[in-house]
Amino acid sequence: MGRRDRPLVAVLLCATLAALAVAATMSNLSVQLPSALWLEAAFRPDIGDMRQVLVHYAFLPRLAVSLLCGAALGLAGAVLQQVLRNPLASPETVGVSAGAYLALALATLAAPALLAFGREWVALAGAFVALAAVLALSWHKNLSPLSVVLAGLVVSLYAGAIGAALVLLNHEWLAGLFIWGAGSLGQQDWVTTLWLLPRLGIAALAIGLMTRPLTLLGLEDEGARSLGVPLGIYRFAGLGMAVALIAVVVAAVGVIGFVGLAAAALARIGGGRRFGQRLILAPLLGAALLWAADQAVQLATGPQGDLLPTGAITALLGAPLLLWLLPRLSLGGELPLLAAERLPRTGRPGILLAVIGLALLLLLAFALLCGPGPDGWSFAFGDQLQPLLSWRWPRVLAALSAGAMLALAGMMMQRLTGNPMASPEVLGISAGAALGMMVAMFSVAGAGRPLQTAAAAAGAFAALLTVLAIGRRAAYAPERLLLAGVALTALFDALILVLTATGDPRAMLLLNWLTGSTYGVDPGSAVLTVSIALCLLLAAPLFIRWLDLLPLGTPALRSLGVDVAGTRLLVLLMVAVLTAASTLIVGPLTFIGLMAPHLARRLGLARALPQAIGAVLAGALIMVGADWIGRTAIFPRQIPAGLVATLIGGPVLMWLLRRR
Amino acid sequence: MTEVGTGVRQRCRMTRRAALGLFALPFASVRPVSAATKPPRIACLDDGLAETLLLLGVKPVAIADRKVWEDWVVEPALPPEVADIGTLLEPNLEFLEQLKPDLILSIPYLDGIKPLLERVAPVTTIGIYIENGQPYRNAVEATRKLAGLVGREAEGEALIEATETSLAKVRRELAPFAARPLYVVSFMDPRNVRVYGRMSMFQDVFDRIGIRNAWTAATNYWGFSTVGIDSLATADDARLAYLEPLPAGAGGTLTESPVWSAMPFVRDRSIMRLPPVLMFGALPSAARFARVLAETMTAHG
């Protein structure tokens, strides 16, 4: 073993983090208790002295939990990266944390009895369902790093949308769920620590025993198979143990954002070339990271400060980290996919499009005329219709335009990136719009809708500039752009978590918009949205030739004499404007951009022009339908249209992308 | 001698006012309503304004979210004919329009949807929880404004008087308890609470009934702060009152935590459970808070 094999940087980093953490810990502790009493408080606390009780039963267990959870997440990250052969795999990026969280939230609300049976089992079930979904979604891309991470993000977003639905419908009862979900490490006894120890210990031991076979998994399949290792079993066992670690952590303290990714990636970049080294370095780095982060949070809030969930704070730091990591990891190129797919092709796209168009018209009429009222369901005609229509048409038209624009944006993104999981939601523009709206809402008291809209547009534009600035260095390579978008989206999610955990009522307003409600659309903004949509849709034919060519891949494009970077930039700009305009109406989470193009493709619309028209019609159809269901299903309450579209869209998407 | 005299007089007046104000609701239904004084049809989106209306003897035609009322406001009971028009954030506009209200009462929190509401009926926005952070004073103003809107100025003044008087009565009842500060919290989960302080209605009631709030640290715009239970350990002699409803699971685990059991207020059993009181209410909620607090504290001893 030569000098080059020693992961000096990682060790140094770990030592630095630990030193910082020790300093912060000392500082926090001395605020609570004079140093002369520290030893006594740690081992023989005087129960009569509240300060000693707090140190013994709150401060120290919190410290222990932060170390344990950080180490567990780091270990899980390292194993996931090894097993999936993906330098970006982590508890957050493969959707496992989100799945575990959602399962626990659902159980809390719907079946508390399940929790008595064991939180970890509920979390584990959710984590596995999420992982299975992610793997299924990225299977036909051979689990390539980027497709796994994109699928993971989509699954996380999906779980987040369902979580938002729960909150919107029961908000007063879920405040506690926010605090836990956002990763609050606060402790008031040693129960959680003692609960975590054996569970994490068993999983870590199992991983330790599998070190050798797991190391071999890093080799190419053929190489490992020739050594006589039953790969499948170890791959599955390694995955299972990593997921178990994550599920236990989520069950105990909620979602701790990005510690797993950071620890595993730093272990790798810091010089941990061999898996065995990373297996030790990653947990150490994870523990040091979370320890330092948690002490820093306590330092910032002080002993009586408002609750600031550590998990959400680490997620805030995670996004810039991800951006920094991107150029430093080799991810391998993505193969163009859409052109190679064997999908049905219709010979007569015209008839098919006419049928979808007709269906859209019928649905429009239905959505405008039919609905429940105080006296039950009715079709409104004549005099009755007039007042109802004035409420219904702006919402229906806005939903229609937004659905159409998102579908077109998604179709362009998928052709641009050659990735079936690409959609405007993951480009970060929606998150930027939401961020802008958040700033307006919290910095200006009583910000009206016009101001909020302007702020959202500014946010979308700022996010676009950020993403483009990142992409410029890589000649707008789609993979980099998508990951930059992922990072921005994660940053935004973290902010939302922090806000909701403090119980600020304005967070509810934001959440309502986030989940895509067309409630606030008035005739003016409806007409504006329709006009924007029309302009953009009419500009779309200019892009059609490029969209037909883009899936062929960069070399083919160059040989055809296409200015690759320039084309990508123009397509991206178009996508950004489409996304920003529609996000303002239906919020950032709809999955229309993901779903509609696949639907059109599945129906046999292969070339760019018919696919674009088909996707636009399908997107409009789904969105109008979702808005109608949202307005009527639990009358007089309403479910945001974007949320309905998401709930319908998830299963539909799984079906569309199922392995062929 | 004079002091006792005023006390008695005050008590007498209080009873009369209380009958007018706090018990206006049962009488409102028997009172003959002539066409000329018929109160306007009001859709009221805020529960604090709605409870005030009810005590003025005016039934709103609709409120947002009856479930919230049943869980948090409790009294005055909501008459069954008051329609539920959906959530606070998105009251159903089609439904609202078909109820043909003359007036919609809203709060600054809902300014985002005001243009929409204005298409149904004129909107009057009354803020109780606003920048100045004096909800009680704002609630008095809101009561006057509401009374003016429905032409029941006398009832409005009576309600204000009755509330003042009942707070004064509570102040006398709680005088023996005034020495020790009190925390008022809602449990979010077994480890975390929302503790009410400056800018909250509970703080304003405290100031009027002579109770010292144990939570003196910062609060947010709405007058509360979300903190871990261990943050409540600073005051040695504090009592703690926690409000129902409790989130699922917070009851059982509380007693098990060593930090909880070491808390000064747990150790000397100065911990009280209060029935639900709307934390973002108006005068009726303020009076209810004072009353349930007085009942609980005197019973607790």
Side-chain angles (χ1 to χ4, degrees):
Chain A
M1 200 185 298
R3 265 183 73 86
R4 283 190 43 180
D5 243 14
R6 289 192 200 133
L8 276 179
V9 179
V11 172
L12 225 87
L13 193 65
C14 196
T16 315
L17 277 170
L20 286 174
V22 167
T25 308
M26 295 289 205
S27 161
N28 283 327
L29 200 53
S30 55
V31 172
Q32 297 204 8
L33 194 70
S35 53
L37 292 173
W38 287 2
L39 274 181
E40 189 185 338
F43 298 106
R44 288 172 283 102
D46 171 10
I47 301 297
D49 185 351
M50 195 64 211
R51 297 172 306 172
Q52 292 197 33
V53 170
L54 283 181
V55 166
H56 188 85
Y57 288 108
F59 188 84
L60 291 179
R62 178 171 179 163
L63 181 72
V65 165
S66 72
L67 288 170
L68 279 176
C69 291
L73 290 173
L75 183 60
V79 173
L80 279 178
Q81 295 193 354
Q82 181 75 4
V83 172
L84 296 174
R85 280 198 216 124
N86 182 345
L88 283 175
S90 74
E92 301 79 29
T93 48
V94 298
V96 175
S97 288
Y101 170 68
L102 183 62
L104 283 164
L106 277 172
T108 308
L109 266 187
L114 276 178
L115 294 179
F117 177 65
R119 289 175 71 86
E120 66 271 46
W121 298 113
V122 176
L124 204 57
F128 268 114
V129 169
L131 184 66
V134 169
L135 296 183
L137 284 172
S138 47
W139 194 267
H140 57 264
K141 296 278 283 181
N142 297 321
L143 301 184
S144 80
L146 192 75
S147 63
V148 170
V149 170
L150 275 184
L153 179 80
V154 168
V155 167
S156 299
L157 287 177
Y158 190 72
I162 301 176
L166 293 177
V167 168
L168 276 181
L169 296 174
N170 309 274
H171 60 101
E172 286 299 345
W173 313 108
L174 287 180
L177 203 60
F178 285 138
I179 298 172
W180 160 75
S184 165
L185 291 175
Q187 300 295 317
Q188 279 155 19
D189 49 33
W190 288 93
V191 171
T192 308
T193 315
L194 295 177
W195 184 88
L196 278 170
L197 261 177
R199 287 165 179 81
L200 296 180
I202 290 171
L205 189 70
I207 289 170
L209 291 176
M210 289 191 291
T211 308
R212 220 185 96 75
L214 286 180
T215 308
L216 294 175
L217 279 180
L219 307 171
E220 289 305 313
D221 277 5
E222 289 75 24
R225 211 169 278 132
S226 66
L227 294 169
V229 181
L231 276 180
I233 294 171
Y234 283 109
R235 196 177 286 269
F236 188 76
L239 211 52
M241 283 305 124
V243 171
L245 282 172
I246 298 160
V248 167
V249 169
V250 171
V253 295
V255 178
I256 306 285
F258 280 101
V259 167
L261 176 67
L266 291 176
R268 182 185 292 265
I269 291 176
R273 285 184 184 77
R274 289 180 300 114
F275 177 60
Q277 293 174 329
R278 292 199 295 273
L279 218 45
I280 294 166
L281 282 172
L284 286 177
L285 276 163
L289 262 176
L290 192 55
W291 180 18
D294 187 44
Q295 291 300 331
V297 165
Q298 291 184 52
L299 205 59
T301 58
Q304 267 201 320
D306 214 339
L307 187 120
L308 203 56
T310 307
I313 300 297
T314 58
L316 278 182
L317 303 175
L321 174 85
L322 196 59
L323 290 179
W324 179 81
L325 280 178
L326 284 182
R328 287 166 181 78
L329 296 172
S330 63
L331 296 172
E334 293 283 319
L335 297 168
L337 170 96
L338 294 173
E341 261 183 316
R342 286 178 197 286
L343 282 171
R345 231 172 212 271
T346 175
R348 324 177 91 165
I351 294 175
L352 190 60
L353 291 176
V355 170
I356 307 178
L358 199 65
L360 177 61
L361 282 179
L362 283 176
L363 182 67
L364 270 178
F366 191 71
L368 286 171
L369 299 180
C370 181
D375 313 312
W377 281 77
S378 65
F379 268 99
F381 292 108
D383 290 346
Q384 280 181 314
L385 182 60
Q386 204 44 49
L388 289 177
L389 207 56
S390 72
W391 293 115
R392 288 176 187 169
W393 76 258
R395 297 183 68 168
V396 169
L397 278 192
L400 177 109
S401 323
M405 285 191 283
L406 280 172
L408 183 61
M411 181 264 185
M412 294 175 86
M413 276 301 282
Q414 286 171 13
R415 292 220 165 219
L416 176 68
T417 60
N419 192 308
M421 296 308 288
S423 82
E425 283 89 358
V426 294
L427 196 58
I429 293 169
S430 309
L435 214 56
M437 182 165 280
M438 193 154 95
V439 170
M441 215 176 259
F442 281 82
S443 58
V444 183
R449 196 176 168 80
L451 180 65
Q452 288 177 9
T453 307
F461 196 65
L464 173 70
L465 285 183
T466 313
V467 172
L468 287 183
I470 293 163
R472 205 163 72 93
R473 274 189 295 174
Y476 307 110
E479 296 86 10
R480 304 277 179 219
L481 287 175
L482 285 176
L483 284 173
V486 171
L488 279 182
T489 309
L491 180 78
F492 173 70
D493 282 353
L495 274 175
I496 290 284
L497 274 178
V498 174
L499 282 178
T500 41
T502 58
D504 192 315
R506 282 172 297 189
M508 293 306 296
L509 289 174
L510 195 65
L511 207 58
N512 203 45
W513 172 75
L514 275 183
T515 46
S517 169
T518 56
Y519 180 86
V521 178
D522 56 16
S525 47
V527 169
L528 186 67
T529 313
V530 171
S531 339
I532 295 174
L534 274 179
C535 291
L536 293 174
L537 292 184
L538 288 178
L542 301 175
F543 292 85
I544 290 301
R545 197 181 82 91
W546 291 341
L547 293 177
D548 266 325
L549 294 178
L550 276 169
L552 299 177
T554 313
L557 283 177
R558 287 233 169 82
S559 67
L560 285 169
V562 177
D563 168 17
V564 177
T567 307
R568 283 174 175 168
L569 180 62
L570 277 177
V571 172
L572 273 172
L573 275 174
M574 176 77 170
V575 169
V577 177
L578 285 166
T579 311
S582 47
T583 301
L584 295 180
I585 299 296
V586 293
L589 290 174
T590 56
F591 292 89
I592 299 288
L594 208 49
M595 201 170 15
H598 285 293
L599 206 58
R601 187 69 193 80
R602 272 259 145 191
L603 289 171
L605 302 169
R607 293 184 59 84
L609 185 63
Q611 195 198 358
I613 301 174
V616 163
L617 289 174
L621 189 83
I622 299 169
M623 216 50 224
V624 170
D627 182 54
W628 181 76
I629 293 173
R631 281 188 287 127
T632 56
I634 52 168
F635 186 87
R637 287 159 165 257
Q638 298 162 81
I639 316 169
L643 198 56
V644 177
T646 307
L647 294 178
I648 303 172
V652 171
L653 196 68
M654 292 294 288
W655 175 75
L656 288 174
L657 292 175
R658 72 190 186 280
R659 202 184 165 202
R660 290 172 287 273
Chain B
M1 196 57 209
T2 37
E3 221 183 306
V4 176
T6 14
V8 171
R9 225 178 26 246
Q10 251 180 7
R11 204 164 303 149
C12 295
R13 212 174 59 177
M14 189 278 300
T15 327
R16 190 168 55 86
R17 294 295 189 189
L20 261 179
L22 291 174
F23 305 116
L25 180 61
F27 294 109
S29 47
V30 261
R31 185 187 311 197
V33 177
S34 68
T37 60
K38 195 176 171 205
R41 289 172 64 79
I42 297 178
C44 186
L45 299 180
D46 177 61
D47 288 345
L49 301 178
E51 63 179 5
T52 310
L53 274 185
L54 282 174
L55 289 192
L56 294 176
V58 177
K59 257 182 299 188
V61 290
I63 65 155
D65 218 330
R66 289 189 66 107
K67 177 96 172 68
V68 169
W69 187 288
E70 278 146 26
D71 290 337
W72 295 86
V73 186
V74 186
E75 65 167 357
L78 195 63
E81 60 272 28
V82 178
D84 181 342
I85 47 169
T87 57
L88 176 66
L89 292 179
E90 297 197 340
N92 196 306
L93 296 164
E94 286 182 23
F95 195 158
L96 198 57
E97 175 137 54
Q98 290 170 43
L99 291 172
K100 298 193 169 43
D102 302 316
L103 178 70
I104 298 171
L105 284 177
S106 176
I107 47 175
Y109 180 56
L110 299 178
D111 274 351
I113 59 168
K114 194 175 171 192
L116 295 168
L117 298 172
E118 275 170 339
R119 287 166 59 200
V120 178
V123 177
T124 300
T125 305
I126 299 178
I128 294 177
Y129 295 84
I130 51 176
E131 304 268 328
N132 69 11
Q134 298 177 311
Y136 188 90
R137 227 177 71 182
N138 301 336
V140 169
E141 285 311 306
T143 306
R144 292 216 169 94
K145 205 165 170 188
L146 281 178
L149 278 175
V150 298
R152 300 206 165 190
E153 287 84 355
E155 284 87 344
E157 292 308 319
L159 174 58
I160 294 167
E161 280 264 10
T163 312
E164 293 284 346
T165 325
S166 79
L167 292 188
K169 175 173 167 264
V170 168
R171 188 185 183 101
R172 287 191 300 277
E173 286 172 5
L174 289 185
F177 302 91
R180 291 174 61 184
L182 176 70
Y183 286 113
V184 177
V185 303
S186 302
F187 275 101
M188 297 287 103
D189 61 23
R191 281 183 216 153
N192 299 289
V193 294
R194 198 181 259 189
V195 57
Y196 300 93
R198 279 199 293 275
M199 294 182 79
S200 72
M201 180 63 95
F202 296 159
Q203 177 69 55
D204 281 6
V205 171
F206 273 2
D207 295 344
R208 282 164 180 77
I209 61 177
I211 296 287
R212 200 148 45 90
N213 194 341
W215 183 259
T216 51
T219 55
N220 63 13
Y221 187 91
W222 276 265
F224 65 84
S225 187
T226 309
V227 297
I229 287 172
D230 43 284
S231 299
L232 302 180
T234 46
D236 275 343
D237 55 344
R239 300 167 205 266
L240 177 114
Y242 63 96
L243 288 161
E244 290 179 351
L246 289 176
T253 22
L254 272 183
T255 47
E256 292 164 21
S257 143
V259 169
W260 177 248
S261 356
M263 284 289 178
F265 44 77
V266 177
R267 217 179 280 167
D268 62 12
R269 297 176 194 282
S270 306
I271 175 162
M272 290 159 286
R273 179 175 179 136
L274 299 179
V277 179
L278 183 66
M279 62 287 243
F280 304 126
L283 291 185
S285 284
R288 176 179 159 82
F289 176 65
R291 200 180 63 244
V292 299
L293 193 66
E295 280 165 10
T296 313
M297 285 183 93
T298 42
H300 187 268

